[in-house]
Amino acid sequence: MTTIRLLFWLAAAFGIAACTSVPPKMGVMPKSSIESTGPNTYRITARESRFGTEGDADDLFREAVKRVVSANHCQDYRILSKSRYMESALLGAPMPIVEGEILCLHHRAREHSSFWGG
């Protein structure tokens, strides 16, 4: 009888520990990553928590773009690619993810209404 009680208490302790200490990589905390992929080009991945929405991941993406623009003193930027998807998970709800690549522009291109700049 004591062996069964011991196993029960161990199982309960592991269950409680699993519920209370979930590492951020498991998708509980929102996160974004920024990676330089070339001259003035950056890949941004915004990963919302399991309880977030795709709109929240878009907000994280915009915040990461602002950080890149500010840190690199960009005058403007261009989104080269952007995609949204849900990453499935073994346990829990899927996580919304927005990935994209931006180009940091250090001078704003002048737009002309005609060939001669008129």
Side-chain angles (χ1 to χ4, degrees), residues 26-92:
M26 294 297 289
V28 172
M29 301 297 292
K31 173 179 133 177
S32 61
S33 65
I34 301 168
E35 174 188 353
S36 177
T37 58
N40 299 320
T41 309
Y42 301 89
R43 178 177 298 126
I44 298 171
T45 303
R47 181 182 312 263
E48 185 51 66
S49 72
R50 294 197 193 283
F51 308 107
T53 65
E54 198 168 322
D56 294 336
D58 278 321
D59 291 342
L60 286 173
F61 182 83
R62 280 190 286 276
E63 289 173 16
V65 168
K66 288 179 186 177
R67 285 196 309 267
V68 169
V69 167
S70 175
N72 293 291
H73 308 290
C74 306
Q75 291 181 352
D76 204 359
Y77 67 93
R78 181 177 301 140
I79 296 177
L80 301 175
S81 66
K82 186 176 178 184
S83 61
R84 296 175 188 86
Y85 61 93
M86 301 294 275
E87 184 179 84
S88 61
L90 294 175
L91 300 172

Side-chain angles (χ1 to χ4, degrees), residues 96-111:
I97 296 178
V98 176
E99 286 185 333
E101 195 165 29
I102 67 166
L103 175 65
C104 181
L105 303 173
H106 290 289
H107 56 79
R108 196 173 288 212
R110 296 176 63 180
E111 294 184 20

